[in-house]
Amino acid sequence: MHELCDLKVHIDGRHVFFLHQKVLCTFSGRLKRTVRSLPKGLGLRIMEFPGGPRGFELVSCFCYNNGSIDINPSNVGLLHSSAILLEMTEEMVDGNLVRQTEAFLDGLFDCAWNDIITALKSCELFFHAADSCGLLQKLVSTLLAKIASNSENALISSVSFPSSASSSPDASAFNWEWWFDDLTVLAPGTVEKIMKALGAYGADNKNLLLTRFLLHYLKTAAQKPCCREKHSGLADTAVHGVAVVGAAAFSCRGLFRVMRVLTGLGLSRECKGKLERATGQVLDQATLDDLLVTGHGGSGVYDVNLILRLVRTFVNSEQGGSSLQRMKKLGRLIDKYIVEISPDQNLKISKFLEVAECLPDSARDCFDGVYKAVDIFLESHPTLTVEERTRLCGCLNYEKLTLEACKELAKGRRVPPTVAVQALASQQHKVENWSSICKLRSIASSESEEEEQEEEEEEQQQLRLSFQRMMMEVCRNMKGRSAISHGSKGLPRLC
């Protein structure tokens, strides 16, 4: 059979076709023009042919079948791109391949919804060829027209699409997001074309519906093995949409979910900062589960740096017309958070202190939560030196510790005695102040209240005695350690 063929065609340098020159040149203007100038016996080489050997084989079948081939949603894109490349137009023969594929594409709107998806997805194998010849734009317009004809959403329906009769893909799924799942099979490049066709790509995205679609699409993509860079443009586009509506459409938990989805998809630094600002401004609405974001790079179990950035954003945003109640609410949340992260063996003292001290002192009426975290950290990190333990306890405001917490601190075996003395001293001032108040109340009280005042004074006396015993015990421990340590500094004045 080879001796009858007078045309050898190399496709993409890895496949050779032996064909009849007359058959192919009857339909292809490009082949006819190229063959004329081709030296005799030299094969024709075509690189980056749409669909590779498979695409050229389909075109060859069309030519050998005298201009006839079964066109369907699976191959119309490949046939059309190949026909455009080979210039298979009406100038060669009537009803050539370009005309036939264009006729099929014009009627694609009336086909089933899944057929449109199939045709669009088939172009991903020869994306650049399909894009350069305008095929992708045509298919995207058909897809959007189908969505518009079956959606009540004003935004989608208001975009200018080809008009045609409506045909519902699924009457039971008639709502504004019926198409979300179906479009997750498309490649990121194709979805970018859709967003650009709607004028909502990158910073131009100001639409909540399209933002929700992108988040759904990217959440699905994040569950598959994929290249981060391919989705970075869509991730940034989603962030721009989220930033526009912000807390009006997304709860704090919702923003954390967005962050978890997009962080691993090549989000740009600018958009990452924009998303963190939107989240940080409503951080007081978060829950403990929201803050427990998994860490990366072996720096710890949790992403503490992220939470610190969010807290700073909140604090800075509240400095103008500060709401003390919101600040205190966040303070209670951070106390729970620091207790949760304290057992992490990879958590450094410096990072622990950053979290403990990231809020102003006014954010906490009580430091018992911070003390609890300090106690857990000390137990979980038994190799800390005295200096490190003292430094760790420096984040405590002893005057805002309750009596019970102060007693526990004083008895803690890993708490440096100097810290225990300082904590007890602060409590002693509180007891003395309370005693003074009780005396004033007893002077102003009536005879019927004297008995109650005597009971309170007795309780205060017991409290003072308890403090004295605790102080003596702590001081004895310090003196014992001082006798062992030759280079020790002087004991606190209270001892």
Side-chain angles (χ1 to χ4, degrees):
M1 182 66 181
H2 289 178
E3 63 273 19
L4 301 177
C5 299
D6 53 359
L7 178 62
K8 182 167 66 172
V9 182
H10 299 262
I11 299 297
D12 294 347
R14 53 191 175 90
H15 202 95
V16 180
F17 288 85
F18 294 91
L19 306 162
H20 296 86
Q21 178 178 315
K22 182 179 179 180
V23 174
L24 267 73
C25 291
T26 299
F27 295 93
S28 171
R30 178 177 178 179
L31 288 180
K32 184 176 181 179
R33 186 174 61 255
T34 305
V35 167
R36 284 176 181 173
S37 59
L38 190 69
K40 189 174 182 178
L42 187 65
L44 177 64
R45 298 180 182 276
I46 304 177
M47 301 301 293
E48 297 182 2
F49 193 88
R54 169 61 180 161
F56 191 78
E57 183 180 5
L58 281 177
V59 172
S60 300
C61 289
F62 172 83
C63 297
Y64 276 93
N65 285 334
N66 197 27
S68 176
I69 193 170
D70 176 42
I71 301 177
N72 56 61
S74 298
N75 66 17
V76 64
L78 185 54
L79 286 170
H80 184 74
S81 299
S82 301
I84 293 293
L85 179 66
L86 295 177
E87 301 173 10
M88 302 175 74
T89 64
E90 297 301 290
E91 294 179 0
M92 302 304 296
V93 294
D94 291 336
N96 209 341
L97 188 54
V98 170
R99 169 68 63 83
Q100 292 188 37
T101 54
E102 284 180 343
F104 187 92
L105 291 170
D106 289 339
L108 190 60
F109 178 89
D110 296 316
C111 295
W113 165 255
N114 287 337
D115 289 340
I116 300 176
I117 298 291
T118 298
L120 191 55
K121 184 166 180 58
S122 69
C123 295
E124 293 170 2
L125 296 175
F126 46 95
F127 186 86
H128 294 295
D131 190 22
S132 61
C133 71
L135 174 62
L136 269 181
Q137 186 61 48
K138 189 177 186 70
L139 289 174
V140 165
S141 296
T142 302
L143 176 82
L144 295 176
K146 197 74 166 180
I147 293 175
S149 67
N150 294 284
S151 299
E152 295 179 344
N153 185 270
L155 170 85
I156 300 297
S157 299
S158 65
V159 181
S160 299
F161 302 125
S163 59
S164 183
S166 64
S167 175
S168 175
D170 183 1
S172 64
F174 190 80
N175 60 68
W176 60 272
E177 56 183 9
W178 59 263
W179 45 277
F180 280 21
D181 279 333
D182 294 333
L183 267 56
T184 57
V185 301
L186 300 176
T190 306
V191 177
E192 285 186 11
K193 293 291 292 185
I194 294 173
M195 297 299 293
K196 289 176 180 177
L198 291 168
Y201 185 74
D204 295 328
N205 178 28
K206 297 176 175 61
N207 184 273
L208 178 59
L209 172 61
L210 297 177
T211 298
R212 289 194 184 280
F213 159 66
L214 280 182
L215 293 174
H216 180 80
Y217 174 84
L218 293 169
K219 180 180 179 182
T220 304
Q223 297 169 358
K224 305 174 184 177
C226 61
C227 178
R228 292 175 40 148
E229 288 72 20
K230 290 183 178 180
H231 294 86
S232 60
L234 294 176
D236 284 357
T237 301
V239 170
H240 286 299
V242 170
V244 169
V245 293
F250 292 90
S251 64
C252 185
R253 170 159 291 188
L255 290 171
F256 268 101
R257 287 173 179 166
V258 171
M259 200 177 300
R260 283 184 169 95
V261 170
L262 300 186
T263 299
L265 293 174
L267 198 62
S268 69
R269 180 176 297 181
E270 176 190 356
C271 288
K272 184 179 179 181
K274 183 177 289 190
L275 181 57
E276 288 181 2
R277 283 192 296 275
T279 308
Q281 289 171 358
V282 292
L283 191 61
D284 60 312
Q285 301 174 20
T287 65
L288 178 59
D289 287 340
D290 295 332
L291 301 190
L292 298 177
V293 180
T294 305
H296 301 283
S299 58
V301 177
Y302 302 110
D303 192 346
V304 178
N305 289 326
L306 169 63
I307 303 305
L308 285 170
R309 292 196 299 271
L310 297 180
V311 172
R312 293 188 192 107
T313 297
F314 180 86
V315 172
N316 291 335
S317 66
E318 287 296 298
Q319 284 180 350
S322 173
S323 169
L324 186 58
Q325 292 304 315
R326 291 186 66 196
M327 192 70 75
K328 288 183 177 181
K329 184 179 179 182
L330 181 59
R332 292 190 291 271
L333 177 60
I334 293 300
D335 285 356
K336 295 177 183 178
Y337 175 72
I338 197 172
V339 167
E340 192 70 26
I341 67 174
S342 294
D344 183 4
Q345 296 295 313
N346 292 320
L347 183 65
K348 297 180 180 179
I349 291 181
S350 58
K351 198 59 63 177
F352 178 97
L353 290 174
E354 277 191 69
V355 178
E357 299 170 349
C358 63
L359 291 171
D361 193 69
S362 59
R364 294 184 177 96
D365 293 325
C366 177
F367 266 69
D368 285 15
V370 182
Y371 164 66
K372 183 178 179 181
V374 168
D375 187 49
I376 295 173
F377 191 92
L378 289 173
E379 292 295 326
S380 304
H381 301 75
T383 59
L384 296 179
T385 65
V386 174
E387 289 77 12
E388 288 174 327
R389 284 181 279 150
T390 302
R391 178 184 166 204
L392 186 70
C393 294
C395 66
L396 297 172
N397 183 336
Y398 304 126
E399 294 184 357
K400 288 189 176 183
L401 287 174
T402 63
L403 177 59
E404 292 302 318
C406 197
K407 286 181 178 179
E408 290 182 16
L409 183 150
K411 295 177 182 178
R413 61 191 183 90
R414 297 191 184 278
V415 176
T418 52
V419 171
V421 169
Q422 292 173 9
L424 290 173
S426 67
Q427 294 293 319
Q428 187 175 20
H429 292 312
K430 290 166 64 177
V431 172
E432 290 174 353
N433 291 337
W434 178 247
S435 299
S436 300
I437 293 173
C438 288
K439 289 179 181 179
L440 292 173
R441 287 176 57 188
S442 65
I443 295 172
S445 63
S446 61
E447 292 182 2
S448 60
E449 296 176 333
E450 288 183 0
E451 186 176 335
E452 181 180 344
Q453 295 297 332
E454 289 176 359
E455 291 179 359
E456 289 185 0
E457 289 179 7
E458 186 177 347
E459 289 179 4
Q460 292 303 315
Q461 180 64 23
Q462 293 295 328
L463 187 59
R464 283 194 296 272
L465 292 173
S466 175
F467 263 110
Q468 290 175 4
R469 286 194 295 268
M470 292 175 67
M471 291 287 288
M472 290 174 63
E473 183 178 349
V474 170
C475 289
R476 279 198 301 269
N477 291 337
M478 291 186 67
K479 289 175 180 177
R481 296 182 188 182
S482 178
I484 297 174
S485 178
H486 298 290
S488 63
K489 298 179 180 179
L491 299 178
R493 183 172 54 84
L494 290 171
C495 295

